[in-house]
Amino acid sequence: MILTVQQAEDRILSAVSVLEPENRHISDSLGCVLAQDLYAQECLPPFRNSSMDGFAVMSKDVQLARIDQPVQLSVNEIIPAGNVPKLILQSGQAAKIMTGAMLPDGADSVVMVEDTESISEYVKVFQSVNSLENVRLPGESVKTGDLVMPKGKLIRAQEVAMMAALNVQEILVFRLPTVAVISTGDELADLGSNLSPGKIRDSNRYGIMAQLQEMGCQSIDLGICGDKEKNIEETLLDGLLKADALITSGGVSVGEYDVVKSVLSRLGQINFWRVAMKPGKPQAFGLVDGKPIFGLPGNPVSSLTVFELFVRPALRKMAGFSALKRPIFQTTLNQDVVNNTDRVNYMRVLVEKREGKYYAKVTGPQGSGILYSLVLANGLVVIPAYTRVKAGESVEMQFFEDAL
Ligand code: AMP
Ligand code: MG
């Protein structure tokens, strides 16, 4: 079966669903999507306080203060942050106050220290202030009962800080999937082992685990399985018990010694597809016990690209994200490109941004095994089937990482 990229994507995305939410401590919630609406149980700031180091005053007392006509007030109290003022400020008085300290009753504003001069128990004020100037009011940021973060919001550092500010300790989040990863192929040798004739290093597994890590997902390393069916089956079943999803690489292309295919077929409803794209044509996808299995092609660039285009959005859906795919940008290409095939070509490019516009340079030979041109790249340009693009023309591009 040959599918378009869009069809393959639709099938994968409609088959996977969001994982059960779980309670997490906020320190363990970074990168997760919030699975509940979060309402403030407290207000921020909790009390009226100073936003400056300076002097709390009655603004009407210093109304006429100017650089050449200072107003002198008596300093009756010093209020460090964290302390409660003891006195009620009267006209003619000032209280020395630190940033974040509670404003004394009677005061309605703060003159910043730079606009004053202290002389023993007095302060000269050289600048007038308006009522409420340099004062933070209770609840001016967030009021009790406010919806601070809606369900579906990504938890970044600022959300963690906000939750801490509101004394939220535990929240309901969609967890990121844990994914088991296995490499198949008798030709594969692991890091550090002897590279005997006919063998190559297993790069896919490390690449895929790094892609998972980049998304914040945990991976379970199932190692290399040769092309022995029994071995592959046992390892996959074991992986499925522990993981929310499973990724294999290799062994799904047409007409090959297809042990992965037969093992996957036995495990559940797995479809083997050819997707009209290059790299990444042969793929497998299906669900076993409701858990998605992604069979990536063996060629290193294909494996990384298929992960980026199909697996990443699917895992994001499982993790509760609403934006699943990388954004598409327009870029000009530095050279003529011809795609004479019936497959969409995802070409590796190095994209630069100059004066708000993107410029893409093809990074070298585009064979599915040539990992080096992906090392030099930060994006993929999309060359549709049977399309000729001239240097300087605009094409669609997506970054292989966060956008520039
Ligand atoms: P396959 O999809 O198994 O036919 O593999 C296609 C190509 O990718 C072959 O050249 C394999 O040797 C290579 N390949 C398969 N698995 C890996 C892997 N884990 N790391 C690097 N190359 C691989
Ligand atoms: Mg193979």
Side-chain angles (χ1 to χ4, degrees):
M1 183 174 14
I2 291 212
L3 301 180
T4 63
V5 168
Q6 186 65 53
Q7 286 168 330
E9 183 189 302
D10 289 347
R11 287 182 186 208
I12 292 172
L13 290 181
S14 60
V16 301
S17 36
V18 67
L19 298 173
E20 269 297 296
E22 67 180 23
N23 275 309
R24 289 263 178 104
H25 191 271
I26 59 163
S27 337
D28 197 23
S29 69
L30 184 72
C32 292
V33 170
L34 198 59
Q36 63 168 93
D37 288 333
L38 191 81
Y39 292 92
Q41 306 292 330
E42 300 180 359
C43 72
L44 276 183
F47 54 89
R48 203 171 69 130
N49 70 90
S50 174
S51 67
M52 291 282 173
D53 290 328
F55 291 85
V57 297
M58 286 183 183
S59 57
K60 66 175 172 47
D61 281 356
V62 297
Q63 212 171 4
L64 300 175
R66 289 205 317 248
I67 191 81
D68 56 346
Q69 192 187 299
V71 170
Q72 184 162 308
L73 301 169
S74 66
V75 178
N76 295 60
E77 191 175 7
I78 298 178
I79 314 166
N83 287 38
V84 177
K86 292 182 187 65
L87 303 176
I88 297 175
L89 196 105
Q90 311 293 327
S91 184
Q93 295 181 340
K96 188 169 191 177
I97 192 163
M98 309 306 150
T99 305
M102 190 183 272
L103 224 69
D105 285 344
D108 69 342
S109 54
V110 173
V111 182
M112 59 180 179
V113 75
E114 292 86 340
D115 293 330
T116 66
E117 187 186 324
S118 289
I119 311 144
S120 62
E121 275 99 76
Y122 293 90
V123 61
K124 280 185 179 171
V125 174
F126 295 98
Q127 175 76 50
S128 64
V129 281
N130 294 320
S131 182
L132 299 184
E133 200 165 327
N134 302 321
V135 173
R136 302 190 277 218
L137 295 176
E140 74 173 25
S141 167
V142 169
K143 292 186 179 47
T144 308
D146 280 357
L147 174 63
V148 188
M149 298 171 205
K151 178 177 173 179
K153 185 142 185 36
L154 172 66
I155 300 168
R156 303 163 297 170
Q158 54 267 54
E159 279 75 27
V160 174
M162 178 56 99
M163 292 188 286
L166 290 169
N167 191 33
V168 173
Q169 299 188 48
E170 287 231 323
I171 38 155
L172 197 62
V173 296
F174 295 112
R175 62 191 178 81
L176 287 147
T178 297
V179 184
V181 184
I182 186 174
S183 288
T184 68
D186 277 341
E187 75 277 33
L188 301 178
D190 205 352
L191 293 180
S193 68
N194 188 28
L195 203 61
S196 51
K199 307 278 184 191
I200 57 162
R201 297 281 172 214
D202 171 17
S203 58
N204 290 351
R205 189 165 41 100
Y206 291 98
I208 293 163
M209 291 196 297
Q211 287 179 302
L212 289 166
Q213 196 181 349
E214 211 167 38
M215 299 180 59
C217 293
Q218 301 276 349
S219 55
I220 297 173
D221 184 355
L222 298 181
I224 300 173
C225 258
D227 285 320
K228 300 263 177 321
E229 281 198 38
K230 191 162 175 290
N231 211 352
I232 296 178
E233 185 163 353
E234 279 171 14
T235 313
L236 291 188
L237 285 171
D238 181 45
L240 270 172
L241 288 179
K242 301 178 199 150
D244 303 302
L246 198 142
I247 301 176
T248 67
S249 78
V252 292
S253 42
V254 188
E256 82 162 85
Y257 180 57
D258 54 0
V259 283
V260 177
K261 279 190 191 170
S262 52
V263 172
L264 289 182
S265 306
R266 271 206 305 281
L267 290 181
Q269 183 57 44
I270 308 285
N271 302 291
F272 296 88
W273 299 335
R274 280 172 297 146
V275 183
M277 62 187 285
K278 186 180 175 246
K281 182 161 124 183
Q283 295 175 33
F285 173 76
L287 298 178
V288 174
D289 301 334
K291 297 180 178 180
I293 298 198
F294 303 91
L296 306 190
N299 274 307
V301 179
S302 310
S303 159
L304 288 154
T305 304
V306 172
F307 183 102
E308 179 70 19
L309 295 179
F310 298 107
V311 181
R312 185 176 181 276
L315 297 177
R316 283 174 68 85
K317 182 168 179 195
M318 294 170 77
F321 285 85
S322 43
L324 304 182
K325 300 204 291 176
R326 303 255 196 212
I328 303 284
F329 298 96
Q330 292 291 320
T331 181
T332 52
L333 209 50
N334 72 321
Q335 62 175 66
D336 295 357
V337 170
V338 182
N339 178 6
N340 273 334
T341 71
D342 58 356
R343 295 153 66 189
V344 184
N345 205 338
Y346 289 88
M347 293 189 80
R348 284 143 259 172
V349 290
L350 180 63
V351 183
E352 273 180 15
K353 196 177 194 177
R354 293 196 295 272
E355 287 157 7
K357 292 181 86 177
Y358 291 118
Y359 297 87
K361 237 185 256 170
V362 178
T363 54
Q366 298 284 315
S368 320
I370 302 178
L371 196 48
Y372 189 56
S373 52
L374 192 50
V375 168
L376 299 177
N378 60 356
L380 298 173
V381 293
V382 186
I383 314 293
Y386 302 116
T387 302
R388 204 174 264 278
V389 179
K390 289 221 163 56
E393 279 181 1
S394 180
V395 281
E396 289 193 343
M397 176 275 297
Q398 71 176 80
F399 284 97
F400 213 95
E401 56 202 37
D402 288 341
L404 275 183

